[in-house]
Amino acid sequence: MQALFQEKLHVLNVGLSSFADSITRAGGSVLQIEWAPPAQGQQEVGRALARLVNLLSIETANQTAFDAYQSAQPVLNGVGTASQMLPNIAERMILHSGPPIAWKDMCGPMKGAIVGAILYEGWAENLTMAEAMASSGDIAFEPCHHHNAVGPMAGIISPSMPVWIVTNTTNGYQAFSNFNEGLGKALRFGANGPDVITRLKWMGQVLAPALRASVELLGGVDLKPMMAQALHMGDEVHNRNAAASSLFLKRLISALLKTRTPAADIAAVVEFIAGNDHFFLNLSMAACKAMTDAAHGVPGSSMVTAMARNGVEFGIRVSGTGSRWFTTPAPVVDGLFFPGYSAADAAPDLGDSAITETAGVGGFAMAASPAIVKFVGGTPQDAIDNTMAMTHITIGRNNAFTLPALNFAGSPAGIDIRKVVDTGIQPIINTGIAHREAGVGQIGAGITRAPLACFTQAVSALAKLVSAT
Protein backbone atom coordinates (compact mmCIF):
# COMPACT_ATOMS: atom_id res chain seq x y z
CA MET A 1 0.00 0.00 0.00
CA GLN A 2 2.82 2.39 0.86
CA ALA A 3 4.34 1.77 -2.56
CA LEU A 4 1.06 2.75 -4.15
CA PHE A 5 1.20 6.23 -2.64
CA GLN A 6 4.71 6.64 -3.99
CA GLU A 7 3.53 6.03 -7.58
CA LYS A 8 2.44 8.88 -9.84
CA LEU A 9 -1.35 8.91 -9.88
CA HIS A 10 -3.37 8.72 -13.12
CA VAL A 11 -6.99 9.63 -12.49
CA LEU A 12 -10.10 8.70 -14.45
CA ASN A 13 -12.87 11.23 -13.80
CA VAL A 14 -16.46 10.38 -14.75
CA GLY A 15 -19.11 13.06 -15.08
CA LEU A 16 -18.54 16.57 -13.73
CA SER A 17 -15.40 18.00 -15.32
CA SER A 18 -14.75 20.41 -12.44
CA PHE A 19 -13.11 17.60 -10.47
CA ALA A 20 -10.79 16.89 -13.38
CA ASP A 21 -10.00 20.59 -13.75
CA SER A 22 -8.90 20.78 -10.11
CA ILE A 23 -6.57 17.80 -10.54
CA THR A 24 -5.11 19.30 -13.71
CA ARG A 25 -4.46 22.64 -11.99
CA ALA A 26 -2.64 20.75 -9.21
CA GLY A 27 -0.35 19.18 -11.82
CA GLY A 28 -2.00 15.76 -11.81
CA SER A 29 -2.73 13.47 -14.75
CA VAL A 30 -6.44 12.98 -15.42
CA LEU A 31 -8.59 11.53 -18.20
CA GLN A 32 -12.07 13.07 -18.36
CA ILE A 33 -14.81 10.58 -19.31
CA GLU A 34 -17.99 12.21 -20.54
CA TRP A 35 -21.09 10.85 -18.86
CA ALA A 36 -24.52 12.15 -17.99
CA PRO A 37 -27.51 10.37 -16.49
CA PRO A 38 -29.98 8.93 -19.05
CA ALA A 39 -32.68 11.31 -20.25
CA GLN A 40 -30.67 14.17 -18.73
CA GLY A 41 -31.87 13.10 -15.32
CA GLN A 42 -35.61 13.23 -16.11
CA GLN A 43 -36.83 10.51 -13.76
CA GLU A 44 -40.14 9.77 -15.49
CA VAL A 45 -38.44 9.39 -18.88
CA GLY A 46 -35.74 7.29 -17.24
CA ARG A 47 -38.36 4.90 -15.89
CA ALA A 48 -39.99 4.70 -19.34
CA LEU A 49 -36.61 3.96 -20.87
CA ALA A 50 -35.95 1.22 -18.32
CA ARG A 51 -39.17 -0.53 -19.44
CA LEU A 52 -37.89 -0.63 -23.04
CA VAL A 53 -34.26 -1.65 -22.57
CA ASN A 54 -33.38 -5.31 -23.20
CA LEU A 55 -37.03 -6.07 -23.99
CA LEU A 56 -37.18 -9.02 -26.39
CA SER A 57 -40.26 -7.73 -28.21
CA ILE A 58 -38.50 -4.41 -28.93
CA GLU A 59 -35.33 -6.12 -30.13
CA THR A 60 -37.34 -8.41 -32.42
CA ALA A 61 -39.38 -5.50 -33.79
CA ASN A 62 -36.22 -3.48 -34.42
CA GLN A 63 -34.62 -6.32 -36.30
CA THR A 64 -37.73 -6.61 -38.49
CA ALA A 65 -37.70 -2.85 -39.17
CA PHE A 66 -33.95 -2.74 -39.81
CA ASP A 67 -34.09 -5.72 -42.18
CA ALA A 68 -36.88 -4.03 -44.16
CA TYR A 69 -34.79 -0.84 -44.36
CA GLN A 70 -31.64 -2.71 -45.34
CA SER A 71 -33.35 -4.81 -48.02
CA ALA A 72 -35.06 -1.83 -49.67
CA GLN A 73 -33.99 -1.27 -53.29
CA PRO A 74 -34.90 2.28 -54.38
CA VAL A 75 -35.10 2.63 -58.15
CA LEU A 76 -35.81 5.83 -60.09
CA ASN A 77 -38.47 4.70 -62.51
CA GLY A 78 -40.21 7.84 -63.65
CA VAL A 79 -40.95 11.54 -63.63
CA GLY A 80 -44.48 12.82 -63.09
CA THR A 81 -46.31 15.79 -61.68
CA ALA A 82 -47.36 16.07 -58.07
CA SER A 83 -51.07 16.21 -58.92
CA GLN A 84 -50.80 12.96 -60.88
CA MET A 85 -48.55 10.99 -58.57
CA LEU A 86 -48.77 12.07 -54.94
CA PRO A 87 -51.45 10.31 -52.92
CA ASN A 88 -54.29 12.59 -51.77
CA ILE A 89 -52.82 15.93 -52.85
CA ALA A 90 -55.73 18.32 -53.40
CA GLU A 91 -56.21 20.85 -56.23
CA ARG A 92 -55.46 23.81 -53.95
CA MET A 93 -52.89 22.24 -51.64
CA ILE A 94 -49.19 23.03 -51.11
CA LEU A 95 -46.85 20.62 -49.35
CA HIS A 96 -44.03 21.79 -47.10
CA SER A 97 -41.12 20.30 -45.18
CA GLY A 98 -41.16 19.13 -41.59
CA PRO A 99 -44.05 18.43 -39.23
CA PRO A 100 -47.46 20.12 -39.68
CA ILE A 101 -47.56 23.91 -39.32
CA ALA A 102 -50.14 26.64 -39.98
CA TRP A 103 -49.46 29.62 -42.26
CA LYS A 104 -49.43 32.13 -39.39
CA ASP A 105 -46.69 30.17 -37.61
CA MET A 106 -44.39 29.54 -40.60
CA CYS A 107 -40.89 31.00 -40.85
CA GLY A 108 -39.96 33.61 -43.46
CA PRO A 109 -38.33 31.28 -46.01
CA MET A 110 -41.30 28.91 -45.98
CA LYS A 111 -43.80 31.75 -46.43
CA GLY A 112 -41.68 33.15 -49.26
CA ALA A 113 -41.53 29.79 -50.97
CA ILE A 114 -45.30 29.28 -50.67
CA VAL A 115 -45.93 32.69 -52.22
CA GLY A 116 -43.60 31.69 -55.05
CA ALA A 117 -45.48 28.42 -55.55
CA ILE A 118 -48.79 30.31 -55.75
CA LEU A 119 -47.33 32.55 -58.46
CA TYR A 120 -45.90 29.51 -60.27
CA GLU A 121 -49.32 27.85 -60.26
CA GLY A 122 -50.92 31.05 -61.57
CA TRP A 123 -53.36 31.25 -58.65
CA ALA A 124 -52.45 34.90 -58.06
CA GLU A 125 -51.05 37.69 -60.23
CA ASN A 126 -48.59 39.28 -57.81
CA LEU A 127 -46.90 38.92 -54.43
CA THR A 128 -49.55 40.88 -52.54
CA MET A 129 -52.39 38.79 -53.92
CA ALA A 130 -50.44 35.59 -53.31
CA GLU A 131 -49.76 36.47 -49.66
CA ALA A 132 -53.44 37.34 -49.15
CA MET A 133 -54.47 34.02 -50.67
CA ALA A 134 -52.04 32.07 -48.49
CA SER A 135 -53.34 33.69 -45.30
CA SER A 136 -57.02 33.49 -46.27
CA GLY A 137 -57.43 29.77 -45.67
CA ASP A 138 -58.17 29.08 -49.36
CA ILE A 139 -55.09 26.87 -49.64
CA ALA A 140 -54.41 23.75 -47.59
CA PHE A 141 -50.90 23.14 -46.24
CA GLU A 142 -49.66 19.68 -45.36
CA PRO A 143 -46.25 18.05 -44.76
CA CYS A 144 -44.54 16.33 -47.69
CA HIS A 145 -44.10 13.28 -45.47
CA HIS A 146 -47.89 12.85 -45.28
CA HIS A 147 -47.86 12.26 -49.05
CA ASN A 148 -44.87 9.88 -49.28
CA ALA A 149 -42.69 12.80 -50.37
CA VAL A 150 -39.71 14.84 -49.20
CA GLY A 151 -38.34 18.22 -50.19
CA PRO A 152 -35.16 20.06 -49.14
CA MET A 153 -35.30 23.30 -47.06
CA ALA A 154 -38.85 24.78 -47.38
CA GLY A 155 -39.73 21.58 -49.24
CA ILE A 156 -42.46 23.20 -51.30
CA ILE A 157 -44.35 20.96 -53.72
CA SER A 158 -47.41 22.36 -55.50
CA PRO A 159 -49.76 20.34 -57.75
CA SER A 160 -48.21 21.04 -61.16
CA MET A 161 -44.57 20.75 -60.09
CA PRO A 162 -42.57 17.83 -61.53
CA VAL A 163 -41.53 15.08 -59.12
CA TRP A 164 -39.11 12.19 -59.16
CA ILE A 165 -40.82 8.80 -58.80
CA VAL A 166 -38.71 6.33 -56.80
CA THR A 167 -39.97 2.80 -56.20
CA ASN A 168 -38.72 0.39 -53.58
CA THR A 169 -38.74 -2.69 -55.76
CA THR A 170 -38.66 -4.92 -52.67
CA ASN A 171 -42.18 -3.95 -51.59
CA GLY A 172 -43.50 -1.83 -54.48
CA TYR A 173 -44.02 1.31 -52.39
CA GLN A 174 -43.21 4.68 -53.94
CA ALA A 175 -41.50 7.81 -52.66
CA PHE A 176 -41.33 11.23 -54.29
CA SER A 177 -39.28 14.40 -54.29
CA ASN A 178 -39.27 17.67 -56.20
CA PHE A 179 -36.40 18.76 -58.48
CA ASN A 180 -33.30 20.60 -57.29
CA GLU A 181 -33.06 24.16 -58.59
CA GLY A 182 -29.41 24.80 -57.72
CA LEU A 183 -27.82 27.14 -55.18
CA GLY A 184 -28.38 30.83 -54.50
CA LYS A 185 -31.82 32.33 -54.98
CA ALA A 186 -34.07 29.28 -55.14
CA LEU A 187 -37.64 28.60 -54.10
CA ARG A 188 -36.57 26.13 -51.43
CA PHE A 189 -34.71 28.96 -49.64
CA GLY A 190 -37.73 31.27 -49.87
CA ALA A 191 -36.74 33.23 -52.98
CA ASN A 192 -39.72 34.00 -55.24
CA GLY A 193 -38.59 36.64 -57.76
CA PRO A 194 -39.37 36.51 -61.51
CA ASP A 195 -36.11 34.69 -62.24
CA VAL A 196 -37.06 31.94 -59.77
CA ILE A 197 -40.52 31.50 -61.27
CA THR A 198 -39.13 31.51 -64.82
CA ARG A 199 -36.65 28.76 -63.91
CA LEU A 200 -39.38 26.67 -62.26
CA LYS A 201 -41.50 26.91 -65.41
CA TRP A 202 -38.55 25.85 -67.57
CA MET A 203 -38.01 22.90 -65.24
CA GLY A 204 -41.64 21.86 -65.68
CA GLN A 205 -41.87 22.48 -69.44
CA VAL A 206 -38.42 21.39 -70.69
CA LEU A 207 -36.35 19.65 -68.02
CA ALA A 208 -39.06 17.30 -66.73
CA PRO A 209 -40.17 15.96 -70.17
CA ALA A 210 -36.55 15.38 -71.18
CA LEU A 211 -35.78 13.52 -67.96
CA ARG A 212 -39.00 11.50 -68.19
CA ALA A 213 -38.13 10.34 -71.70
CA SER A 214 -34.57 9.49 -70.67
CA VAL A 215 -35.58 7.50 -67.59
CA GLU A 216 -38.11 5.57 -69.69
CA LEU A 217 -35.40 4.67 -72.21
CA LEU A 218 -33.08 3.57 -69.42
CA GLY A 219 -35.79 1.40 -67.90
CA GLY A 220 -35.06 2.93 -64.50
CA VAL A 221 -31.96 3.87 -62.52
CA ASP A 222 -30.94 1.82 -59.51
CA LEU A 223 -30.08 4.50 -56.96
CA LYS A 224 -28.54 2.48 -54.13
CA PRO A 225 -25.38 1.40 -56.04
CA MET A 226 -25.03 4.94 -57.36
CA MET A 227 -25.13 6.34 -53.80
CA ALA A 228 -22.66 3.70 -52.65
CA GLN A 229 -20.25 4.61 -55.45
CA ALA A 230 -20.60 8.30 -54.62
CA LEU A 231 -19.66 7.56 -51.00
CA HIS A 232 -16.46 6.00 -52.30
CA MET A 233 -15.83 9.15 -54.34
CA GLY A 234 -16.04 11.62 -51.47
CA ASP A 235 -19.75 12.44 -51.18
CA GLU A 236 -21.92 11.91 -48.12
CA VAL A 237 -24.99 12.41 -50.43
CA HIS A 238 -26.62 15.08 -48.31
CA ASN A 239 -24.62 18.29 -48.37
CA ARG A 240 -22.08 17.02 -50.88
CA ASN A 241 -23.43 15.45 -54.09
CA ALA A 242 -20.74 16.42 -56.58
CA ALA A 243 -19.80 12.83 -57.41
CA ALA A 244 -23.37 11.52 -57.35
CA SER A 245 -24.60 14.29 -59.65
CA SER A 246 -21.79 13.51 -62.10
CA LEU A 247 -22.54 9.78 -61.98
CA PHE A 248 -26.22 10.45 -62.62
CA LEU A 249 -25.49 12.74 -65.57
CA LYS A 250 -23.10 10.15 -67.02
CA ARG A 251 -25.83 7.50 -66.74
CA LEU A 252 -28.46 9.81 -68.19
CA ILE A 253 -26.76 11.46 -71.09
CA SER A 254 -26.64 8.60 -73.59
CA ALA A 255 -30.39 8.02 -73.17
CA LEU A 256 -31.08 11.73 -73.35
CA LEU A 257 -29.38 11.90 -76.74
CA LYS A 258 -31.64 9.10 -78.02
CA THR A 259 -34.87 10.88 -77.10
CA ARG A 260 -36.77 13.16 -79.46
CA THR A 261 -35.87 16.14 -77.31
CA PRO A 262 -34.75 19.12 -79.47
CA ALA A 263 -30.97 19.56 -79.55
CA ALA A 264 -31.15 23.01 -77.97
CA ASP A 265 -33.18 21.61 -75.06
CA ILE A 266 -30.73 18.72 -74.59
CA ALA A 267 -27.89 21.22 -74.40
CA ALA A 268 -29.80 23.28 -71.85
CA VAL A 269 -30.64 20.21 -69.74
CA VAL A 270 -27.04 18.99 -69.70
CA GLU A 271 -25.76 22.47 -68.88
CA PHE A 272 -28.28 22.81 -66.03
CA ILE A 273 -27.39 19.47 -64.41
CA ALA A 274 -23.65 19.86 -64.98
CA GLY A 275 -23.78 23.28 -63.35
CA ASN A 276 -25.49 22.06 -60.18
CA ASP A 277 -23.46 19.83 -57.85
CA HIS A 278 -26.54 19.40 -55.68
CA PHE A 279 -28.75 18.06 -58.46
CA PHE A 280 -28.65 14.52 -57.06
CA LEU A 281 -29.69 15.64 -53.54
CA ASN A 282 -33.41 15.28 -54.23
CA LEU A 283 -32.88 11.81 -55.69
CA SER A 284 -30.85 10.83 -52.64
CA MET A 285 -33.65 12.09 -50.41
CA ALA A 286 -36.35 10.18 -52.28
CA ALA A 287 -34.23 7.01 -52.14
CA CYS A 288 -33.72 7.46 -48.40
CA LYS A 289 -37.45 8.08 -47.95
CA ALA A 290 -38.18 4.81 -49.75
CA MET A 291 -35.71 2.97 -47.49
CA THR A 292 -36.95 4.39 -44.18
CA ASP A 293 -40.62 4.06 -45.12
CA ALA A 294 -39.97 0.35 -45.55
CA ALA A 295 -39.10 0.22 -41.85
CA HIS A 296 -42.10 2.26 -40.69
CA GLY A 297 -45.13 0.82 -38.95
CA VAL A 298 -43.56 -2.13 -37.16
CA PRO A 299 -45.37 -2.41 -33.80
CA GLY A 300 -42.96 -2.01 -30.89
CA SER A 301 -40.01 -0.82 -32.96
CA SER A 302 -37.97 2.05 -31.53
CA MET A 303 -36.29 2.83 -34.87
CA VAL A 304 -36.56 6.40 -36.16
CA THR A 305 -38.06 6.56 -39.66
CA ALA A 306 -38.13 10.32 -40.25
CA MET A 307 -36.41 13.47 -39.01
CA ALA A 308 -37.65 16.74 -40.50
CA ARG A 309 -37.82 20.45 -39.73
CA ASN A 310 -40.21 23.21 -40.78
CA GLY A 311 -38.10 26.19 -39.69
CA VAL A 312 -39.99 26.45 -36.40
CA GLU A 313 -40.15 22.90 -35.05
CA PHE A 314 -37.93 19.84 -35.35
CA GLY A 315 -39.88 16.58 -35.54
CA ILE A 316 -39.23 12.86 -35.65
CA ARG A 317 -41.41 9.83 -36.41
CA VAL A 318 -40.77 6.38 -35.02
CA SER A 319 -41.61 3.04 -36.61
CA GLY A 320 -43.59 1.71 -33.65
CA THR A 321 -45.61 4.87 -32.90
CA GLY A 322 -47.44 5.26 -36.21
CA SER A 323 -47.96 8.65 -37.87
CA ARG A 324 -47.40 10.70 -34.71
CA TRP A 325 -44.78 13.47 -34.73
CA PHE A 326 -42.63 14.21 -31.68
CA THR A 327 -41.63 17.87 -31.91
CA THR A 328 -39.63 20.58 -30.16
CA PRO A 329 -38.35 24.03 -31.25
CA ALA A 330 -35.89 23.80 -34.13
CA PRO A 331 -32.29 24.86 -33.33
CA VAL A 332 -30.29 27.46 -35.24
CA VAL A 333 -27.52 25.78 -37.20
CA ASP A 334 -23.92 26.36 -36.13
CA GLY A 335 -22.08 26.67 -39.40
CA LEU A 336 -20.03 28.61 -41.91
CA PHE A 337 -21.74 31.67 -43.33
CA PHE A 338 -21.33 33.32 -46.70
CA PRO A 339 -19.59 36.74 -46.60
CA GLY A 340 -21.82 39.40 -45.03
CA TYR A 341 -24.01 36.99 -43.05
CA SER A 342 -23.96 35.59 -39.51
CA ALA A 343 -26.04 33.43 -37.19
CA ALA A 344 -28.22 36.48 -36.46
CA ASP A 345 -29.46 36.32 -40.07
CA ALA A 346 -30.24 32.59 -40.04
CA ALA A 347 -33.62 30.89 -39.93
CA PRO A 348 -33.91 27.96 -37.52
CA ASP A 349 -33.17 24.51 -38.92
CA LEU A 350 -35.30 23.76 -41.99
CA GLY A 351 -36.03 20.94 -44.42
CA ASP A 352 -36.80 17.26 -44.99
CA SER A 353 -33.21 16.56 -46.02
CA ALA A 354 -32.45 14.99 -42.63
CA ILE A 355 -34.12 11.93 -44.15
CA THR A 356 -30.59 11.19 -45.40
CA GLU A 357 -29.22 10.99 -41.85
CA THR A 358 -32.28 8.93 -40.88
CA ALA A 359 -31.21 6.47 -43.58
CA GLY A 360 -27.57 6.34 -42.47
CA VAL A 361 -25.87 8.71 -44.90
CA GLY A 362 -25.31 12.49 -44.70
CA GLY A 363 -23.82 13.32 -41.29
CA PHE A 364 -23.77 9.62 -40.41
CA ALA A 365 -21.44 8.97 -43.36
CA MET A 366 -19.20 12.00 -42.91
CA ALA A 367 -16.17 9.72 -42.68
CA ALA A 368 -16.60 9.14 -46.42
CA SER A 369 -16.41 12.82 -47.18
CA PRO A 370 -13.43 14.70 -45.74
CA ALA A 371 -14.10 17.43 -48.28
CA ILE A 372 -17.45 18.21 -46.65
CA VAL A 373 -15.71 19.83 -43.71
CA LYS A 374 -14.67 22.66 -46.04
CA PHE A 375 -18.40 23.39 -46.44
CA VAL A 376 -19.78 22.74 -42.95
CA GLY A 377 -16.69 23.36 -40.77
CA GLY A 378 -14.38 21.11 -38.74
CA THR A 379 -11.54 18.81 -39.77
CA PRO A 380 -11.35 15.44 -41.58
CA GLN A 381 -10.78 13.79 -38.19
CA ASP A 382 -14.00 15.43 -36.96
CA ALA A 383 -15.81 13.79 -39.87
CA ILE A 384 -14.53 10.36 -38.83
CA ASP A 385 -15.29 11.03 -35.16
CA ASN A 386 -18.85 12.06 -35.98
CA THR A 387 -19.51 8.86 -37.92
CA MET A 388 -18.02 6.73 -35.13
CA ALA A 389 -20.16 8.50 -32.51
CA MET A 390 -23.30 7.56 -34.44
CA THR A 391 -22.50 3.84 -34.03
CA HIS A 392 -23.49 4.22 -30.37
CA ILE A 393 -27.09 5.21 -31.17
CA THR A 394 -27.90 2.98 -34.13
CA ILE A 395 -29.27 -0.53 -34.55
CA GLY A 396 -26.67 -1.66 -37.07
CA ARG A 397 -24.68 -0.76 -40.15
CA ASN A 398 -25.80 -0.52 -43.76
CA ASN A 399 -23.38 -2.82 -45.56
CA ALA A 400 -24.48 -1.38 -48.91
CA PHE A 401 -22.99 1.99 -47.90
CA THR A 402 -19.37 1.25 -47.02
CA LEU A 403 -16.88 3.88 -45.90
CA PRO A 404 -13.25 3.64 -47.18
CA ALA A 405 -11.85 5.70 -44.27
CA LEU A 406 -13.23 3.10 -41.83
CA ASN A 407 -11.75 0.11 -43.63
CA PHE A 408 -14.96 -0.21 -45.66
CA ALA A 409 -17.21 -0.70 -42.64
CA GLY A 410 -20.88 0.02 -43.29
CA SER A 411 -22.35 3.37 -42.32
CA PRO A 412 -24.17 3.42 -38.95
CA ALA A 413 -27.92 3.24 -39.58
CA GLY A 414 -31.26 2.77 -37.85
CA ILE A 415 -31.40 5.41 -35.09
CA ASP A 416 -32.73 3.83 -31.89
CA ILE A 417 -34.59 6.32 -29.67
CA ARG A 418 -33.62 4.26 -26.60
CA LYS A 419 -29.90 4.63 -27.32
CA VAL A 420 -30.21 8.37 -27.98
CA VAL A 421 -31.95 8.94 -24.65
CA ASP A 422 -29.65 6.57 -22.80
CA THR A 423 -26.37 8.03 -24.08
CA GLY A 424 -27.42 11.63 -24.69
CA ILE A 425 -25.70 11.43 -28.09
CA GLN A 426 -27.87 13.40 -30.48
CA PRO A 427 -28.00 12.46 -34.19
CA ILE A 428 -25.77 14.71 -36.29
CA ILE A 429 -27.09 16.44 -39.40
CA ASN A 430 -25.29 18.25 -42.22
CA THR A 431 -27.48 20.99 -43.59
CA GLY A 432 -27.78 24.27 -45.46
CA ILE A 433 -28.77 27.52 -43.76
CA ALA A 434 -31.51 29.79 -45.10
CA HIS A 435 -31.87 33.50 -44.33
CA ARG A 436 -34.64 34.11 -41.83
CA GLU A 437 -36.35 36.54 -44.20
CA ALA A 438 -38.14 35.46 -47.35
CA GLY A 439 -36.50 36.01 -50.69
CA VAL A 440 -32.82 36.16 -49.67
CA GLY A 441 -31.94 32.48 -50.12
CA GLN A 442 -29.08 30.39 -48.74
CA ILE A 443 -26.55 32.13 -46.50
CA GLY A 444 -24.40 29.22 -45.32
CA ALA A 445 -24.14 25.57 -44.30
CA GLY A 446 -23.19 23.71 -41.18
CA ILE A 447 -23.83 20.99 -38.66
CA THR A 448 -26.69 20.63 -36.24
CA ARG A 449 -28.05 18.01 -33.87
CA ALA A 450 -31.51 16.50 -33.59
CA PRO A 451 -32.90 17.86 -30.27
CA LEU A 452 -33.01 15.35 -27.43
CA ALA A 453 -36.53 16.38 -26.42
CA CYS A 454 -37.98 14.68 -29.52
CA PHE A 455 -36.47 11.39 -28.42
CA THR A 456 -37.51 11.63 -24.76
CA GLN A 457 -41.10 12.22 -25.88
CA ALA A 458 -40.91 9.25 -28.23
CA VAL A 459 -39.51 6.96 -25.52
CA SER A 460 -42.36 7.89 -23.18
CA ALA A 461 -44.96 7.32 -25.89
CA LEU A 462 -43.51 3.96 -26.96
CA ALA A 463 -43.33 2.78 -23.34
CA LYS A 464 -47.04 3.53 -22.93
CA LEU A 465 -47.88 1.60 -26.11
CA VAL A 466 -45.78 -1.37 -25.03
CA SER A 467 -47.31 -1.36 -21.54
CA ALA A 468 -50.81 -1.35 -23.03
CA THR A 469 -50.20 -4.48 -25.12
Side-chain angles (χ1 to χ4, degrees):
M1 181 63 76
Q2 188 175 2
L4 176 64
F5 287 108
Q6 293 174 347
E7 294 287 333
K8 184 175 177 60
L9 293 180
H10 299 279
V11 179
L12 298 179
N13 186 68
V14 180
L16 292 175
S17 61
S18 56
F19 293 105
D21 295 340
S22 299
I23 295 170
T24 301
R25 284 196 296 271
S29 172
V30 59
L31 177 63
Q32 172 65 23
I33 299 175
E34 299 297 333
W35 181 85
Q40 295 184 322
Q42 301 176 63
Q43 294 185 13
E44 187 174 337
V45 179
R47 284 192 287 271
L49 176 62
R51 293 201 296 274
L52 300 177
V53 173
N54 293 327
L55 195 62
L56 179 59
S57 62
I58 300 288
E59 304 300 338
T60 303
N62 279 347
Q63 195 58 56
T64 300
F66 190 79
D67 288 347
Y69 150 78
Q70 182 117 278
S71 62
Q73 297 296 332
V75 174
L76 169 65
N77 64 346
V79 171
T81 60
S83 60
Q84 295 170 335
M85 300 306 306
L86 269 59
N88 305 318
I89 189 170
E91 183 179 353
R92 287 292 176 98
M93 177 181 287
I94 294 177
L95 308 186
H96 61 78
S97 59
I101 188 169
W103 166 263
K104 63 182 179 58
D105 299 321
M106 290 178 184
C107 65
M110 185 170 285
K111 284 186 172 180
I114 285 175
V115 167
I118 291 172
L119 295 174
Y120 168 77
E121 292 290 341
W123 297 339
E125 296 179 0
N126 55 52
L127 290 173
T128 303
M129 293 174 64
E131 289 175 356
M133 178 177 285
S135 62
S136 68
D138 289 343
I139 299 173
F141 303 112
E142 291 192 358
C144 294
H145 272 287
H146 292 190
H147 296 264
N148 299 359
V150 281
M153 302 309 290
I156 299 305
I157 301 177
S158 61
S160 63
M161 286 184 179
V163 292
W164 296 115
I165 304 167
V166 173
T167 301
N168 174 7
T169 56
T170 304
N171 64 9
Y173 292 173
Q174 291 181 318
F176 309 92
S177 180
N178 50 10
F179 284 11
N180 194 285
E181 313 156 70
L183 294 176
K185 289 187 179 299
L187 191 78
R188 69 181 186 279
F189 289 107
N192 53 27
D195 52 340
V196 174
I197 305 305
T198 298
R199 183 173 59 223
L200 288 174
K201 289 183 176 178
W202 176 83
M203 291 169 68
Q205 294 166 1
V206 177
L207 180 63
L211 293 175
R212 182 185 302 115
S214 303
V215 172
E216 287 177 357
L217 275 176
L218 288 169
V221 179
D222 198 344
L223 295 175
K224 207 168 180 178
M226 191 170 286
M227 294 169 68
Q229 188 175 359
L231 289 174
H232 288 187
M233 296 169 68
D235 283 356
E236 38 75 272
V237 290
H238 180 177
N239 238 341
R240 191 176 195 278
N241 284 280
S245 297
S246 298
L247 290 170
F248 180 72
L249 181 58
K250 179 183 175 184
R251 184 87 169 87
L252 183 80
I253 200 163
S254 61
L256 181 60
L257 290 169
K258 295 173 185 172
T259 66
R260 295 181 178 178
T261 305
D265 289 344
I266 290 177
V269 167
V270 171
E271 184 177 10
F272 181 78
I273 298 175
N276 178 8
D277 281 348
H278 285 269
F279 189 76
F280 190 81
L281 169 63
N282 298 45
L283 282 165
S284 170
M285 290 173 59
C288 290
K289 173 69 173 166
M291 288 188 278
T292 57
D293 272 2
H296 193 71
V298 179
S301 172
S302 58
M303 179 172 163
V304 176
T305 52
M307 297 193 292
R309 314 84 96 197
N310 58 29
V312 176
E313 289 186 312
F314 192 112
I316 68 169
R317 299 171 93 176
V318 177
S319 177
T321 57
S323 59
R324 182 175 173 182
W325 287 93
F326 302 98
T327 64
T328 196
V332 173
V333 178
D334 177 22
L336 299 178
F337 290 88
F338 300 160
Y341 297 105
S342 69
D345 302 307
D349 199 13
L350 176 66
D352 287 334
S353 57
I355 193 69
T356 55
E357 278 79 9
T358 315
V361 289
F364 283 52
M366 281 182 75
S369 183
I372 193 64
V373 300
K374 295 287 288 181
F375 194 48
V376 300
T379 66
Q381 185 59 48
D382 291 335
I384 293 174
D385 292 345
N386 284 325
T387 293
M388 292 304 297
M390 295 302 103
T391 63
H392 298 294
I393 59 170
T394 45
I395 295 171
R397 290 178 179 267
N398 190 327
N399 294 324
F401 297 145
T402 55
L403 309 175
L406 299 180
N407 199 23
F408 294 96
S411 65
I415 302 167
D416 188 335
I417 57 172
R418 301 174 305 169
K419 295 180 178 179
V420 174
V421 174
D422 188 22
T423 63
I425 299 173
Q426 298 163 255
I428 193 165
I429 298 168
N430 294 339
T431 190
I433 304 173
H435 196 284
R436 57 188 170 83
E437 295 178 1
V440 178
Q442 184 175 11
I443 60 171
I447 291 173
T448 190
R449 298 272 181 172
L452 190 63
C454 297
F455 299 87
T456 57
Q457 294 172 43
V459 161
S460 297
L462 185 62
K464 288 180 181 177
L465 285 174
V466 170
S467 298
T469 57

